Amino acid sequence: MHSDYPKPENTENAVKEFRRFLETIHTLRSPCGCPWDKEQTPLSMRKSLIEETFEAVDAITQQDSAHAKEELGDVLLNTAMISYMYEQDGAFTIADSIRELTDKLIRRHPHVWPQSQGASQADGKAETPSEVLSQWERIKQNVEGRKSDSILDEVPKGFPPLLRAAKLQKKAAKKGFEWENISEALQKVQEELAEVQEARLKLENKCGQESPFLKDSSGNVNKAQLHVEEEIGDLLFAVVNYSRMLGVDPETALNRTNQKFYHRFTYVEHQMEQKKIPMEKNNLKQAEQFWNEAKSKGL
């Protein structure tokens, strides 16, 4: 049953388990701990943090609470382990990080905590999610001093390209730079697809259909090929924008499709192997039959 506040015993249990969790991390990183854990650094843990985050997102998307419980624990492990590495180096402590996070949450929610540092930016209009986000941005800029030359500078350059595209578009939309309706966004997707086709035809006319990736005498990809690359980028950017306007997170959507492709393709592989049919282009029709069979099974 939903409750506005956590039950006291749940909070006490969480504190107890978190202390035990931190003690476990301390042991793993101690001189008598695990050789692998002791060898890791914040830089070496980056890939694991990203992978575990995606696995947690997938579990949530699949609405698999048991799996989500496990994967969210793995995300917590990575964030706490990395934080403890910084603590060991004397940069900051885990307590510092948690304290800063809690202070930030209170500061950015003056509609919940009226006496918080963000109160100067509260105008009494934080009654909807969009109004809360607008207030959030004012607090970031005017209270926390996070003003930048461009609102787009707030999007980290190290984000994966698909995620960065969505974030850049979202930031631009806050300044009113957005299509008036979804139909215009869809039309842009169609225009970009037509431009990809046009660029592809120019490439084939120049290089021949059998060798579209021809390089010049210096070993560089020719301008026609680079033009196709540019147009593909524009198409992907337009699709991300269309997805965003539909309220669909493109990262989550693509991850679901990746999972779907994986399950269906591995089903095809298994069936082809059982029927002793070589997995090659000449047997594409048989592979397509098994693919459709996988779809009918809900894979």
Side-chain angles (χ1 to χ4, degrees), residues 52 55-57 59-60 67-77:
E52 295 297 352
E55 289 178 9
V57 169
I60 295 169
H67 193 202
K69 176 179 66 174
E70 176 188 357
E71 296 303 338
L72 288 170
D74 289 341
V75 173
L76 178 59
L77 168 62

Side-chain angles (χ1 to χ4, degrees), residues 2-203:
H2 174 73
S3 174
D4 290 335
Y5 298 98
K7 295 180 180 179
E9 59 267 29
N10 288 346
T11 300
E12 291 173 5
N13 287 336
V15 172
K16 176 183 176 182
E17 292 301 331
F18 191 68
R19 178 177 287 111
R20 178 167 171 258
F21 167 61
L22 289 181
E23 289 172 352
T24 303
I25 288 177
H26 294 169
T27 300
L28 289 172
R29 293 278 297 176
S30 71
C32 298
C34 171
W36 185 90
D37 288 289
K38 290 190 293 182
E39 188 180 63
Q40 302 311 306
T41 67
L43 289 176
S44 71
M45 293 287 289
R46 290 175 300 172
K47 183 179 179 182
S48 177
L49 178 60
I50 292 171
E51 291 176 351
E52 295 297 352
T53 301
F54 275 111
E55 289 178 9
V57 169
D58 183 59
I60 295 169
T61 301
Q62 300 300 325
Q63 300 185 51
D64 186 339
S65 59
H67 193 202
K69 176 179 66 174
E70 176 188 357
E71 296 303 338
L72 288 170
D74 289 341
V75 173
L76 178 59
L77 168 62
N78 277 265
T79 55
M81 182 74 81
I82 294 170
S83 296
Y84 183 55
M85 292 173 187
Y86 281 109
E87 181 172 319
Q88 288 180 300
D89 289 339
F92 61 84
T93 67
I94 294 179
D96 292 336
S97 185
I98 295 175
R99 184 185 307 109
E100 185 171 313
L101 171 61
T102 303
D103 289 346
K104 180 169 64 177
L105 285 172
I106 294 173
R107 182 172 60 250
R108 294 186 182 181
H109 290 82
H111 51 293
V112 180
W113 289 278
Q115 303 305 317
S116 74
Q117 288 179 309
S120 63
Q121 303 303 309
D123 55 11
K125 296 182 179 179
E127 298 177 354
T128 66
S130 61
E131 289 171 348
V132 169
L133 290 177
S134 295
Q135 177 179 264
W136 183 291
E137 288 299 326
R138 292 198 303 274
I139 292 171
K140 285 173 64 176
Q141 294 183 16
N142 301 325
V143 178
E144 299 175 358
R146 298 196 180 193
K147 290 184 178 180
S148 54
D149 293 336
S150 168
I151 192 173
L152 300 184
D153 292 332
E154 297 176 9
V155 181
K157 293 181 174 61
F159 272 3
L162 189 65
L163 175 60
R164 187 160 191 259
K167 293 292 185 181
L168 289 171
Q169 292 168 6
K170 187 176 180 180
K171 291 291 185 181
K174 287 183 178 180
K175 294 290 188 178
F177 194 78
E178 183 169 42
W179 299 111
E180 291 187 3
N181 53 63
I182 293 178
S183 296
E184 291 182 348
L186 176 58
Q187 182 179 349
K188 184 62 176 176
V189 172
Q190 295 167 337
E191 289 176 1
E192 295 297 349
L193 178 59
E195 291 180 10
V196 169
Q197 296 289 73
E198 181 181 347
R200 179 184 65 84
L201 290 174
K202 289 181 179 179
L203 177 64

Side-chain angles (χ1 to χ4, degrees), residues 4 57 74 122 174 211 213 229-230 265:
D4 290 335
V57 169
D74 289 341
K174 287 183 178 180
S211 56
F213 303 108
E229 180 183 281
E230 178 184 357
F265 185 80

Side-chain angles (χ1 to χ4, degrees), residues 251-270:
E251 288 267 353
T252 303
L254 184 58
N255 190 50
R256 288 186 67 180
T257 297
N258 287 341
Q259 289 287 78
K260 182 168 60 178
F261 179 82
Y262 174 86
H263 290 307
R264 291 179 183 177
F265 185 80
T266 53
Y267 178 86
V268 172
E269 283 184 312
H270 180 68

